[in-house]
Amino acid sequence: MEIIKGNDRFYIMDNEHEVGAVELSSAGDSLIIIASTHVDDAYKGQGLATQLIERVVEDARATGKKIIPLCSFAVSEFERKPEYRDTLNNA
């Protein structure tokens, strides 16, 4: 399985089937909003949603952007992982 960066999203493909995605939007040039995270029911419990959020965090660091987590899963990931807080928008 591979995480692919698309327009305003990252998604995971298993062969030719999309099995999960994190949907993003921009707020200006410096902010990324995590709007939703979802994984196909057949693939739940494999840590795929966590991998998607991790990929968003890596991308934010690489581009110097901050993140506003709006979906409940992203909020919980930022609460559980203090190592992500450098990318959190504190405004």
Side-chain angles (χ1 to χ4, degrees):
M1 285 187 279
E2 174 184 8
I3 297 178
I4 300 165
K5 183 176 183 176
N7 292 332
D8 296 326
R9 66 198 304 256
F10 286 93
Y11 58 100
I12 298 175
M13 298 296 291
D14 186 10
N15 296 314
E16 295 185 21
H17 179 68
E18 182 177 307
V19 298
V22 60
E23 305 294 334
L24 311 168
S25 61
S26 297
D29 294 332
S30 61
L31 292 175
I32 300 168
I33 298 169
I34 301 176
S36 69
T37 306
H38 62 277
V39 172
D40 186 292
D41 287 342
Y43 290 81
K44 290 194 176 191
Q46 298 180 33
L48 299 181
T50 298
Q51 292 174 36
L52 286 164
I53 297 298
E54 183 177 313
R55 184 64 179 87
V56 174
V57 168
E58 289 171 359
D59 191 65
R61 286 182 179 135
T63 58
K65 295 183 179 183
K66 296 292 184 179
I67 298 171
I68 300 172
L70 291 185
C71 80
S72 59
F73 182 78
V75 169
S76 69
E77 283 294 286
F78 276 83
E79 289 173 351
R80 285 184 336 104
K81 297 188 175 177
E83 63 269 26
Y84 288 176
R85 293 199 182 124
D86 66 305
T87 63
L88 191 58
N89 180 51
N90 294 319

